[in-house]
Amino acid sequence: MLSWPVLISQAFNGLALGTLLALVSSGLTIILGTLGVLNFAHGALFAVGAYAAFVLLQYTSSFVLAIIVGCGFMLALGFLLERIIIRYFYDRPHEDQILVTYGVGIVLVECVRAAFGGNAQRVPVPSWGQGATQMGFLIYPTYRLQLIAIIAGLLLSLYLVLYRTSMGLVVRAGIENPGMVGILGINVRRAFLLVFAIGVVAVGLAGMLYAPVVAVTPDMGANFMAQSFVVIVLGGLGSFPGAVVGGLIAGEIISLTSAFNSSYSEVMLYALMAVLLIMRPQGLFGSEGRA
Amino acid sequence: MSLLEVDKINTLYGDSHVLFDLSIRVEQGEVVALLGRNGAGKTTTLRSIMGVLSPRSGNIRLDGKSIEGLPPSAIAGMGVQLVPEERAIFGGLTVEENLRIAALTAPNAWSYDRIYEVFPRLRERRKSAGRTLSGGEQQMLAIARALIRDARIILLDEPFEGLAPLIVRDLVEVSRNLAAEGRTMIVVEQNVAAALSFANRVYGLNNGHVVFEGTPADLNASPDLMRDFLGVGM
Ligand SMILES: Nc1ncnc2c1ncn2[C@@H]1O[C@H](COP(=O)(O)OP(=O)(O)O)[C@@H](O)[C@H]1O
Ligand SMILES: [Mg+2]
């Protein structure tokens, strides 16, 4: 029989997973919405982020410093990928875009495997996140609580960038109609470069922050990738609020279902997606008619 | 030298040839109407000028400088502004955000207040999402985005299409005022009478060819032309 503490602690796990999925998915959905490219390398970039944390923490004991340098690395990687590969595929058919990003993902994962081997690596929990926190009758790992707060803060920053800055205005307009953004005098291609890089930083950051609570392996992103697809479909393709709400829903469903029977958790997620798509084909926050 | 010179352009969609050696010119301060039946190539002409389409041959000059081959953003930067047929309002952005994004790269952007003087209705709706606007309000906003950029030449593609007569009357009034203030425009319209009420000069298009050039008075004097090429019974 399930006890309340178990259920509540699973609810917290769901929140941690949900915020993480929200961050991963917002990168995916913004890139899809603006550039029209479904980035199949997103899962690989999650792993690259985790390994960046693993490497950097061997040189510094400051988790924050490692994260900052790691973000710089992800930003550079994002710029590089967009400039030398992705931008040549904006006008190509979706099949080509899927193939090339899938290929990029494989190359990244295999580079990581070649450099670090296939065995799981451990990334230490930051010094300020050690131990567990007592919350009423529940004892919960401190870093996981902090993770929820940190990612919530990151999502809020992303929200502010999208909804309170000119850059965000261009991104939101570009998600609807990139052609018209260009007709209004804005260099869309430059905006695309930034959007891609921001998406890569978001997923890389998720990988870095998550590294201390999971086994870090080259293939760790594959699962997240699949779940993120569900999330952005749930939330509505290209919708940032949709990615956040969809991420939280998906996180809770996976965690709460696994409290009862872990083998059903993914099944429940896909079942929910199917039901929602029948009732609301454009997803929770999607607008109708967007191809 | 004319403000805009379109010189023998040939524009194609894939293999389908749509504009044939098409030439038009627009003087500073002039309103030029581009008339013709559905499918004559009017929208294609405006899209070629804006750089959305690249003509296979020919030349397009603004102030004598060649602009063809440039991306739309660069051409917009030189003061050309298309108000597309489908209006292309950003539905998830508010009215004011639609104006703000239009003004973003304009060196002499108008104030919102000046826009709202032209379109008082937009002031009332300024916090509303684009997708909640009526057709008439969307068209006002589409024109307002060109105005806020202080565009030197505005390309209006069927601005009155599908709107209620009262709204058409208001928009014609606004267009007439803009013309009177010396704003340079090309207007494409099926509503010939409305377009002729503020145009200085007219081009008739048929199957991608210019088949008529003259003043509104010339056109009114040739009902055959109106009937044969423009599909307008007189
Ligand atoms: N995207 C397109 N692809 C292929 N043909 C097109 C496209 N858009 C328009 N056409 C064709 O080009 C011709 C001119 O179209 P258009 O410029 O839209 O005419 P108008 O605006 O005068 O009604 C038409 O025959 C139309 O079918
Ligand atoms: Mg047309």
Side-chain angles (χ1 to χ4, degrees):
Chain A
M1 199 45 221
L2 278 174
S3 63
W4 276 110
V6 170
L7 213 53
I8 290 173
S9 108
Q10 278 304 99
F12 270 100
N13 285 342
L15 199 57
L17 179 62
T19 45
L20 192 77
L21 278 175
L23 187 58
V24 173
S25 309
S26 38
L28 193 63
T29 212
I30 291 171
I31 291 176
L32 173 65
T34 321
L35 285 55
V37 174
L38 189 49
N39 181 21
F40 271 78
H42 216 63
L45 290 162
F46 182 83
V48 169
Y51 275 90
F54 170 69
V55 171
L56 289 164
L57 283 168
Q58 295 175 353
Y59 295 96
T60 170
S61 57
S62 163
F63 195 76
V64 174
L65 182 64
I67 293 279
I68 291 171
V69 176
C71 282
F73 169 72
M74 295 307 296
L75 189 69
L77 182 62
F79 278 139
L80 204 67
L81 286 176
E82 202 276 349
R83 282 294 91 176
I84 62 175
I85 299 173
I86 307 296
R87 69 163 158 158
Y88 299 107
F89 286 82
Y90 291 141
D91 299 326
R92 300 275 286 267
H94 287 306
E95 305 87 274
D96 294 11
Q97 298 172 345
I98 290 172
L99 280 176
V100 76
T101 55
Y102 197 75
V104 167
I106 291 175
V107 170
L108 287 174
V109 166
E110 292 314 315
C111 285
V112 167
R113 205 189 312 278
F116 304 99
N119 294 337
Q121 307 288 352
R122 286 243 140 254
V123 171
V125 173
S127 55
W128 36 264
Q130 306 278 345
T133 301
Q134 177 91 39
M135 296 185 303
F137 54 84
L138 180 72
I139 299 174
Y140 201 75
T142 304
Y143 181 69
R144 281 184 182 248
L145 284 178
Q146 292 166 335
L147 199 59
I148 296 171
I150 293 169
I151 297 182
L154 288 171
L155 289 170
L156 181 67
S157 326
L158 201 53
Y159 170 83
L160 291 175
V161 168
L162 280 174
Y163 288 85
R164 295 283 182 274
T165 68
S166 298
M167 150 98 207
L169 190 63
V170 172
V171 173
R172 283 185 295 138
I175 285 173
E176 284 190 41
N177 188 344
M180 192 61 213
V181 174
I183 289 173
L184 289 172
I186 292 152
N187 185 335
V188 205
R189 288 296 160 92
R190 198 175 319 150
F192 280 13
L193 169 64
L194 272 172
V195 168
F196 190 81
I198 288 177
V200 169
V201 171
V203 69
L205 198 48
M208 290 182 237
L209 291 168
Y210 205 54
V213 294
V214 283
V216 173
T217 69
D219 301 305
M220 68 189 290
N223 219 8
F224 273 101
M225 182 81 206
Q227 290 170 355
S228 292
F229 279 145
V230 178
V231 166
I232 66 173
V233 171
L234 272 180
L237 298 180
S239 164
F240 171 71
V244 173
V245 174
L248 291 174
I249 292 176
E252 287 298 348
I253 285 182
I254 293 171
S255 294
L256 290 178
T257 312
S258 38
F260 296 93
N261 186 336
S262 62
S263 50
Y264 280 107
S265 59
E266 301 254 328
V267 179
M268 276 297 281
L269 186 59
Y270 286 100
L272 174 84
M273 177 174 83
V275 171
L276 185 106
L277 284 186
I278 291 167
M279 295 189 311
R280 217 180 135 75
Q282 74 273 31
L284 291 173
F285 291 78
S287 49
E288 283 159 279
R290 152 111 194 148
Chain B
M1 185 175 59
S2 308
L3 176 58
L4 179 76
E5 292 163 299
V6 175
D7 192 6
K8 291 195 173 155
I9 58 167
N10 286 275
T11 303
L12 295 81
Y13 291 102
D15 289 335
S16 121
H17 200 155
V18 172
L19 301 184
F20 298 86
D21 284 336
L22 184 128
S23 300
I24 63 174
R25 66 189 163 75
V26 182
E27 306 297 335
Q28 174 74 44
E30 189 181 40
V31 176
V32 167
L34 221 55
L35 306 178
R37 290 172 194 263
N38 247 333
K42 305 177 299 291
T43 297
T44 306
T45 305
L46 297 189
R47 289 164 68 85
S48 300
I49 297 170
M50 193 69 230
V52 177
L53 297 169
S54 301
R56 182 142 320 166
S57 66
N59 211 295
I60 302 175
R61 290 180 297 272
L62 188 72
D63 282 331
K65 269 188 307 219
S66 178
I67 59 169
E68 121 251 331
L70 295 178
S73 56
I75 292 174
M78 298 168 85
V80 179
Q81 196 55 59
L82 173 66
V83 179
E85 206 168 0
E86 70 283 2
R87 293 162 196 157
I89 297 304
F90 301 114
L93 272 52
T94 64
V95 166
E96 203 144 287
E97 285 175 329
N98 269 278
L99 293 172
R100 189 150 73 85
I101 193 171
L104 218 53
T105 58
N108 302 310
W110 288 19
S111 67
Y112 295 141
D113 277 340
R114 192 165 165 204
I115 290 292
Y116 296 147
E117 270 163 38
V118 180
F119 296 112
R121 184 73 192 135
L122 292 184
R123 187 197 297 275
E124 294 166 35
R125 302 287 265 138
R126 66 186 184 280
K127 297 288 180 223
S128 310
R131 75 168 69 87
T132 67
L133 302 183
S134 70
E137 289 165 342
Q138 290 203 0
Q139 189 60 57
M140 291 175 200
L141 182 53
I143 297 173
R145 285 192 309 200
L147 285 180
I148 201 169
R149 294 182 58 79
D150 199 27
R152 298 176 62 202
I153 172 163
I154 298 180
L155 317 176
L156 291 173
D157 199 348
E158 308 220 19
F160 313 135
E161 188 197 6
L163 300 180
L166 273 179
I167 298 180
V168 171
R169 199 196 59 193
D170 287 353
L171 284 173
V172 168
E173 172 80 18
V174 166
S175 311
R176 219 180 264 146
N177 290 341
L178 291 172
E181 289 162 14
R183 181 85 32 189
T184 312
M185 294 186 276
I186 300 181
V187 57
V188 164
E189 251 309 325
Q190 301 282 339
N191 185 340
V192 174
L196 293 187
S197 77
F198 61 97
N200 309 107
R201 226 151 43 73
V202 181
Y203 287 96
L205 257 61
N206 195 30
N207 293 327
H209 298 268
V210 172
V211 292
F212 171 82
E213 181 187 350
T215 64
D218 295 338
L219 187 62
N220 281 321
S222 24
D224 301 356
L225 255 174
M226 288 278 229
R227 196 181 52 239
D228 295 348
F229 293 124
L230 310 182
V232 183
M234 295 283 289

